[in-house]
């Protein structure tokens, strides 16, 4: 790996503490923890993890850029879908992992313009630091906006999560000629090291054994993402769940061409594959297995309402019409917006790798965002 930018001393100290916490846990667990636990601690250990300690930054100055940070048109397009769901079912909006609050701001602004503001916009945010940023940005919508520490017991309306499922801990499995192995983490010479254990029973084994994966593959399975969707299915009374993320259906996820999995780390706009680098200072993600998400949702009583690429979804939601609101004659306003739309839609950038899945209950009308280019049959 080429040298990455050096952290400042305070950040380095956080990382040293995070690494020490993980090492202690490995020791008390007898020398080995599943990779999913390593990822959970590196991202979410209270006060230390990447997402809970406020080390992460969104946007150009941070570690990665998400679609809502690229363009306000993303949230405005999503608002067209939100307006349809709220129009059909009434109810509220619940956003999971709202980041800087940018998506909430653009969605609410557009819903206000459409005269379809929900009574409440709930934000489930685990980071105190991000919550403060969101409060500042969403001040204008203050009476409607409410922060939650945990998921509500029941909900009707629209649940949204952009790049949330990819941030959930994954297990790593090695499919080998001599059987299944779970890849975990141990400590050797004061460093974290990969260490495999045979996998012969349990939920992870059942899923790994049921997949059609050629020996020689090492890839991820997210029990956490499945569990999260099952929880959402249990609390949704009526309405839709919209999850946007990078990933594919199982055929592509476990394709021989992707035999070393999809785990990826982001540190100041460098993408690399070493999750042991500076724990707590970098993001760790994996692509989303949308087949697993759909199957879990369906087995917990949800209907699959649509699955398509981000490009198709945004076009179906009218993003090009939204762009046309800016006059091409005013080049200084129009050209940056056109470049942003290009980034969101271009198959070589976010258009094709990013997908949108909608699951729901009591929604009988076809959803706007999946009117053309629905790929549900590919799951
Ligand atoms: C990559 S960030 C995306 C932020 C934002 N949605 C955006 O698009 O810019 C992932 C977010 O998901 C949140 N997250 C992950 N697992 C979560 C969970 N189980 N409950 C609530 N939030 C979660 C993280 O804390 C983080 O804020």
């Amino acid at each position: 790996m080429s040298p990455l930018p050096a952290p400042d001393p305070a950040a380095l100290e956080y990382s040293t503490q995070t690494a020490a916490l993980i090492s202690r846990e490995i020791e008390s667990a007898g020398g080995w923890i599943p990779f999913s636990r390593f990822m959970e601690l590196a991202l979410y250990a209270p006060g230390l993890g990447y997402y809970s300690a406020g080390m992460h930054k969104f946007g150009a100055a941070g570690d990665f850029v998400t679609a809502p940070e690229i363009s306000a048109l993303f949230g405005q397009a999503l608002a067209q879908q939100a307006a349809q769901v709220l129009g059909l079912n009434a109810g509220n909006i619940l956003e999971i992992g709202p980041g800087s609050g940018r998506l909430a701001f653009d969605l609410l602004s557009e819903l206000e313009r459409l005269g379809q503001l929900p009574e409440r916009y709930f934000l489930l945010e685990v980071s105190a630091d991000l919550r403060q940023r969101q409060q500042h940005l969403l001040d204008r919508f203050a009476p409607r906006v409410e922060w939650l520490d945990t998921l509500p017991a029941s909900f009707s309306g629209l649940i949204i999560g952009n790049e949330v499922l990819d941030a959930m801990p994954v297990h790593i499995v090695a499919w080998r000629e001599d059987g299944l192995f779970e890849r975990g983490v141990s400590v050797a010479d004061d460093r974290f090291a990969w260490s495999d254990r045979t996998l012969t029973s349990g939920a992870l084994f059942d899923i790994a054994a049921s997949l059609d994966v050629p020996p020689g593959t090492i890839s991820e399975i997210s029990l956490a993402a499945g569990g999260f969707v099952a929880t959402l299915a249990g609390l949704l009374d009526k309405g839709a769940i919209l999850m946007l993320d990078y990933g594919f259906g199982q055929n592509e996820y476990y394709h021989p061409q992707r035999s070393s999995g999809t785990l990826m780390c982001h540190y100041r706009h460098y993408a690399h594959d070493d999750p042991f680098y500076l724990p707590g200072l970098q993001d760790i993600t994996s692509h989303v297995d949308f087949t697993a998400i759909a199957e879990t949702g369906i087995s917990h009583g949800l209907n699959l309402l649509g699955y398509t690429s981000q490009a198709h979804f945004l076009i179906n939601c009218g993003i090009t019409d939204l762009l046309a609101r800016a006059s091409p004659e005013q080049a200084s306003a129009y050209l940056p917006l056109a470049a942003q739309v290009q980034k969101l839609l271009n198959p070589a950038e976010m258009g094709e790798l990013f997908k949108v899945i909608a699951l729901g209950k009591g929604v009988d009308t076809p959803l706007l965002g999946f009117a053309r280019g629905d790929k549900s049959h590919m799951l």
Side-chain angles (χ1 to χ4, degrees):
M1 189 165 80
S2 61
L4 297 170
D8 63 48
L12 196 57
E13 175 56 25
Y14 261 113
S15 182
T16 306
Q17 286 183 35
T18 313
L21 174 91
I22 299 173
S23 297
R24 284 196 298 277
E25 178 146 338
I26 292 174
E27 197 185 321
S28 58
W32 186 93
I33 55 171
F35 177 73
S36 59
R37 181 62 182 156
F38 176 93
M39 183 167 167
E40 189 181 349
L41 290 168
L43 297 184
Y44 303 107
L48 287 174
Y50 178 74
Y51 281 112
S52 31
M55 298 312 291
H56 57 303
K57 299 181 211 78
F58 295 94
D63 301 301
F64 53 86
V65 181
T66 57
E69 307 293 327
I70 289 173
S71 181
L73 295 174
F74 179 78
Q76 290 170 17
L78 243 74
Q80 315 304 316
Q81 180 61 89
Q84 186 201 16
V85 172
L86 297 181
L88 292 171
N89 294 284
N92 293 308
I93 297 180
L94 163 61
E95 186 182 349
I96 318 284
S100 68
R102 200 67 239 177
L103 177 59
F105 181 84
D106 295 328
L107 254 166
L108 284 166
S109 303
E110 180 65 10
L111 287 171
E112 184 178 47
R113 206 191 62 82
L114 295 169
Q116 279 194 258
L117 276 172
E119 207 173 293
R120 282 267 177 283
Y121 192 108
F122 297 101
L123 298 105
L124 179 67
E125 179 53 70
V126 292
S127 147
D129 152 69
L130 280 182
R131 189 183 279 215
Q132 252 183 12
R133 274 171 71 174
Q134 294 154 11
Q135 276 163 345
H136 184 67
L137 184 63
L138 298 173
D139 190 43
R140 186 157 80 77
F141 299 102
R144 287 177 203 278
V145 180
E146 200 176 309
W147 279 263
L148 304 178
D149 293 319
T150 51
L151 286 168
S154 64
F155 183 82
S156 285
L158 179 66
I159 301 177
I160 306 179
N162 186 62
E163 287 205 36
V164 170
L165 296 176
D166 71 84
M168 295 195 173
V170 288
H171 291 261
I172 302 186
V173 173
W175 285 260
R176 300 203 322 222
E177 292 289 1
D178 52 343
L180 293 175
F181 291 78
E182 177 171 8
R183 184 148 277 207
V185 184
S186 59
V187 177
D189 299 328
D190 277 339
R191 288 164 166 263
F192 294 121
W194 292 112
S195 162
D196 292 355
R197 282 194 169 178
T198 52
L199 180 62
T200 50
S201 62
L204 185 65
F205 170 82
D206 292 344
I207 296 175
S210 73
L211 292 168
D212 181 18
V213 179
T217 303
I218 295 172
S219 192
E220 303 83 35
I221 291 177
S222 182
L223 298 183
F228 188 70
V229 170
T231 304
L232 294 184
L235 66 85
L236 184 70
D237 286 333
K238 195 167 195 277
I241 302 167
L242 208 56
M243 290 285 158
L244 303 96
D245 226 309
Y246 41 93
F248 353 81
Q250 253 159 30
N251 282 347
E252 282 185 78
Y253 202 98
Y254 299 107
H255 192 275
Q257 277 176 347
R258 212 163 275 110
S259 61
S260 30
T262 70
L263 198 74
M264 208 164 33
C265 307
H266 296 272
Y267 180 65
R268 304 222 201 139
H269 296 281
Y270 287 81
H272 65 91
D273 62 2
D274 180 7
F276 303 151
Y277 183 73
L278 294 176
L281 296 192
Q282 65 169 356
D283 192 21
I284 307 174
T285 74
S286 84
H287 286 40
V288 174
D289 169 358
F290 280 101
T291 303
I293 298 300
E295 285 176 357
T296 306
I298 291 166
S299 68
H300 287 80
L302 297 175
N303 297 314
L304 176 60
L305 304 177
Y307 169 69
T308 193
S309 64
Q310 175 170 294
H312 271 117
F313 180 82
L314 293 175
I315 291 168
N316 288 336
C317 288
I319 196 164
T320 48
D321 299 332
L322 296 168
L323 171 64
R325 280 191 213 158
S327 164
E329 264 117 66
Q330 291 181 313
S332 63
Y334 184 83
L335 291 178
L337 285 177
Q340 293 162 12
V341 170
Q342 156 84 359
K343 205 172 174 78
L344 295 175
L345 301 186
N346 188 337
E349 298 206 52
M350 298 178 83
E352 201 49 48
L353 176 60
F354 281 71
K355 309 289 193 313
V356 187
I357 192 166
L359 294 155
K361 238 182 231 176
V363 178
D364 301 324
T365 311
L367 292 188
L368 175 73
F370 306 91
R372 283 171 299 270
D374 186 77
K375 297 177 198 280
S376 297
H377 59 280
M378 290 173 75
L379 289 177

